[in-house]
């Protein structure tokens, strides 16, 4: 699975794997793909440095990248406390009531809460970049809009390619104007923040909109046949996130969540604002139902919602309160039915891709 | 584009084209595809017979099929008047108010209204079948659930294959148990009634669920690259509906609607219950907005909603009241940017398919 982009990055397969787990990212690169470590959970720069050191020791010199969450719009002089103060009391009470109704215990003294939101703040993302640029990363991806111009310039000075996620051709064009190198076309069926246009329509639209810039297809991809479909649509590679969550190298810290992921069907996700205030696909749970219920207070805009629910989400995860327990994941979750190693996922992707190409050749009447 | 199914049906390309227009259906069959005439608008059996006569004269002996809308659940002894009586007065008033606000004129004396709903009634669909089985149709498709067992048996006696649309693997399995021959996997991005699972995920799920029964992929397909993607996912063919609406052979009776379709982007559709009471993708208009507005009365369940709005929809269409003017169409509408003949669409599909297969071979390192 070799495209111009995979050759340029020096990887065997045009498969980009996004994951919050260093062990998964390293295994993806070792399997011939391009591992991308999600940085959003690293609030302390030292923690990120520690894990990038570990990556360096485990990628066998193969290329890898980093994914940050950096808003393009800078809000000057606003602290986390300022944002906290904007949250209405009624919403705080709704969180308390919902947790109480499901008997969710408190966190123990000293247990960290809220890493989910803190990583979204620009100051934190910039701290992550200061660390990351000391390592030989080959790609910097931004999950939230175009990265600021100075960040793009800084990456390019170091020979680091910059990627940004887009849910529409319009977003993709904006990224291209911002000087980024790769657009990740994130379809409706993808996990995490998504728009409403499905991959089958979005991928070729984005390819047309930003070509010759390379496009990675994201959303709905977990098999080699789906890789072939995405590449048929003009993508120069695929961007997979969900499928790694149930690999043996992943460390969800929650057997109950792993069980839920393995049991979920493609219809068990929902595009909800419950997690961050922007629509993000995730497992449908009693928690997302509560936020999406018209009888409730509804969600707050980003970044308020994320800050509001950060501790609650930590409590739910820590104590594995099953009805509320969820995670961002795409519709491909229906295909994630067993725990497998990253290499096994790759073997499956490459053999399925070969099968699909052979099938298309037969249909096309080629020898 | 030859699959086992296209060979079995004796067509050159595994492209199934669904359309309410006989001229389009015949042109699809003549171009080497399989034309499927939508029967829902024929309330009078004689009108259907007239158009099937016309088809016979214009398909050059090539195969074609018919699509009916027949609910699997039979409601005994319920007339259209009985259903009318179940519509709340507040909803009727909302229709009147919305039409008045946009200055929609009445229909002229004697102008037919409401064909959209009448075709959904089982009696009507059975009348259509009585006519259709006198013609050498090769395929009978049902757009609404599994067809009743006696209809499947009657089709099979005549050597007619039966297809049914499914939005989930579960629906597809139910169809298979009902003895149908082909499942049309209708993805989220498709026009008309759709579920929430996008084609990229749905197609292989349905293939896995009902194999070796052949599956057609529907939703998001309007280019040859998208045909290649759908076939890579395991489909034995593609089912296209939207793309024909702006062909020169189509007869929308509304230049304003054609203009709206040509101008619309992939983000200009909505999955709304406004038309029939079940979620159906269509152009987003002031009409769908009114029904989807939480401040309004909301939609009624099928078949009440369709009956409630039938005359209103006819008035909006007849008088081309632009803000309200819409039609079922998929996200592929963003690619429908010029009026072309059906043959030109086919030329585009076949050349795009060849391009995509050649590209995949390069990526696979095949000669």
């Amino acid at each position: 699975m070799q495209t111009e982009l995979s050759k340029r990055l020096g990887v065997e397969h045009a498969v980009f794997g996004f994951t919050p787990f260093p062990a998964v990212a390293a295994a993806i690169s070792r399997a011939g793909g391009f591992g991308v470590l999600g940085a959003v959970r690293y609030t302390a720069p030292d923690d990120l440095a520690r894990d990038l050191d570990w990556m360096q020791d485990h990628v066998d010199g193969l290329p890898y990248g980093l994914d940050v969450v950096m808003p393009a719009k800078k809000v000057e002089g606003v602290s986390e406390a300022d944002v906290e103060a904007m949250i209405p009391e009624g919403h705080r009470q709704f969180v308390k009531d919902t947790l109480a109704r499901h008997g969710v215990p408190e966190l123990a003294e000293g247990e960290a809460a809220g890493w989910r939101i803190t990583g979204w703040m620009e100051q934190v993302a910039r701290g992550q970049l200061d660390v990351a640029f000391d390592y030989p990363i080959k790609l910097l991806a931004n999950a939230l809009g175009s990265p600021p111009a100075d960040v793009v310039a800084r990456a390019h000075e170091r020979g680091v390619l910059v990627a940004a996620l887009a849910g529409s051709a319009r977003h993709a064009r904006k990224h291209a104007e911002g000087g980024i190198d790769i657009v990740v076309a994130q379809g409706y069926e993808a996990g995490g923040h998504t728009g409403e246009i499905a991959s089958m329509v979005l991928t070729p639209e984005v390819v047309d909109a930003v070509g010759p810039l390379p496009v990675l297809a994201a959303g709905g991809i977990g098999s080699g046949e789906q890789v072939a479909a995405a590449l048929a649509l003009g993508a120069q590679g695929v961007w997979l996130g969900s499928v790694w969550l149930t690999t043996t190298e992943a460390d969800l810290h929650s057997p109950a969540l792993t069980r839920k992921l393995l049991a979920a069907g493609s219809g068990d996700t929902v595009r909800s604002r419950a997690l961050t205030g922007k629509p993000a696909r995730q497992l449908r749970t009693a928690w997302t139902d509560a936020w999406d219920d018209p009888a409730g207070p509804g969600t707050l805009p980003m970044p308020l919602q994320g800050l509001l629910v950060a501790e609650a989400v930590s409590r739910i995860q820590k104590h594995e309160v099953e009805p509320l327990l969820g995670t961002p994941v795409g519709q491909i979750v229906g295909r994630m039915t067993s725990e497998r190693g990253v290499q096994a996922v790759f073997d499956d992707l490459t053999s399925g891709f070969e099968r699909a190409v052979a099938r298309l050749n037969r249909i096309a009447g080629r020898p």
Side-chain angles (χ1 to χ4, degrees), chain A:
Chain A
M1 297 184 279
Q2 279 268 329
T3 64
E4 279 175 49
L5 181 63
S6 67
K7 287 175 198 159
R8 184 167 163 201
L9 283 165
V11 295
E12 194 184 344
H13 301 302
V15 174
F16 293 71
F18 163 77
T19 171
F21 308 113
V24 177
I28 290 167
S29 289
R30 286 199 312 271
F34 189 97
V36 181
L37 181 66
V40 70
R41 73 190 176 102
Y42 296 97
T43 50
D46 284 355
D47 291 346
L48 179 59
R50 181 201 62 216
D51 280 2
L52 288 175
D53 282 337
W54 188 93
M55 289 280 290
Q56 280 298 113
D57 291 344
H58 290 84
V59 292
D60 298 352
L62 294 159
Y64 65 93
L66 194 77
D67 181 278
V68 295
V69 183
M70 179 169 274
K73 265 186 277 178
K74 196 170 176 169
V75 188
E76 293 284 355
V78 177
S79 70
E80 192 164 324
D82 296 334
V83 181
E84 284 273 7
M86 297 162 84
I87 296 175
E89 189 47 41
H91 280 77
R92 292 196 187 278
Q93 192 59 48
F94 180 74
V95 170
K96 279 184 201 153
D97 292 348
T98 307
L99 294 175
R101 196 162 58 248
H102 289 274
V104 181
E106 301 277 344
L107 291 177
E109 187 103 17
E111 272 184 323
W115 55 260
R116 274 183 183 278
I117 177 61
T118 324
W120 298 84
M121 312 284 288
E122 194 194 341
Q123 308 88 299
V124 177
R126 288 190 174 268
Q128 292 165 352
L129 289 180
D130 290 338
V131 171
F133 283 135
D134 282 342
Y135 292 81
I137 60 169
K138 296 279 181 248
L139 176 80
L140 177 69
N142 188 18
L144 203 69
S146 293
D150 68 298
V151 171
V152 175
R154 212 171 144 195
H156 286 171
E157 274 166 29
R158 283 161 182 77
V160 176
L161 296 184
V162 179
L165 270 69
S168 71
R170 190 175 59 79
H171 288 157
R173 268 186 225 105
K174 223 183 121 202
H175 291 328
E177 286 159 16
I180 63 111
D181 308 288
I182 300 168
V183 174
V184 182
Q186 171 95 337
Y188 163 85
E189 56 270 67
H193 291 126
T194 58
E196 304 219 37
I197 316 296
S199 291
M200 184 70 87
V201 172
L202 181 69
T203 307
E205 273 196 353
V206 171
V207 168
D208 286 352
V210 302
L213 272 196
V215 173
L216 301 177
I221 305 173
S223 74
E225 288 81 358
Q226 287 158 331
V227 174
L231 299 178
L233 295 172
Q236 286 221 13
V238 291
W239 176 273
L240 277 61
S242 302
V243 77
W244 317 112
L245 289 173
T246 49
T247 55
T248 47
E249 290 90 341
D251 192 2
L252 285 180
H253 294 290
S254 168
L257 182 54
T258 298
R259 279 196 304 273
K260 271 190 121 168
L261 286 168
L262 294 173
S266 57
D268 293 329
T269 72
V270 64
R271 204 170 147 264
S272 167
R273 296 179 188 267
L275 200 58
T276 67
K278 282 187 189 285
R281 185 171 301 285
Q282 52 201 286
L283 280 184
R284 182 177 169 183
T285 66
W287 181 251
T288 62
D289 283 351
W291 286 105
D292 296 336
D293 187 346
T299 54
L300 295 172
M302 180 181 278
L304 301 187
Q305 180 71 14
L307 207 52
L308 170 63
V309 303
E311 196 211 350
V313 169
S314 293
R315 284 168 60 184
I316 292 164
Q317 292 184 333
K318 174 78 187 170
H319 296 289
E320 299 189 286
V321 184
E322 291 223 27
L324 304 176
L325 192 60
T327 181
V329 72
Q331 292 187 337
I332 197 65
V333 70
R335 191 172 274 271
M336 294 154 52
T337 53
S338 67
E339 284 189 89
R340 294 180 299 168
V342 166
Q343 183 63 54
V345 173
F346 263 86
D347 293 345
D348 193 40
L349 292 176
T350 49
S351 63
F353 176 76
E354 291 296 332
R355 256 195 324 270
V357 176
R359 184 161 187 275
L360 285 175
N361 278 315
R362 282 196 303 276
I363 292 171
R366 291 177 177 232

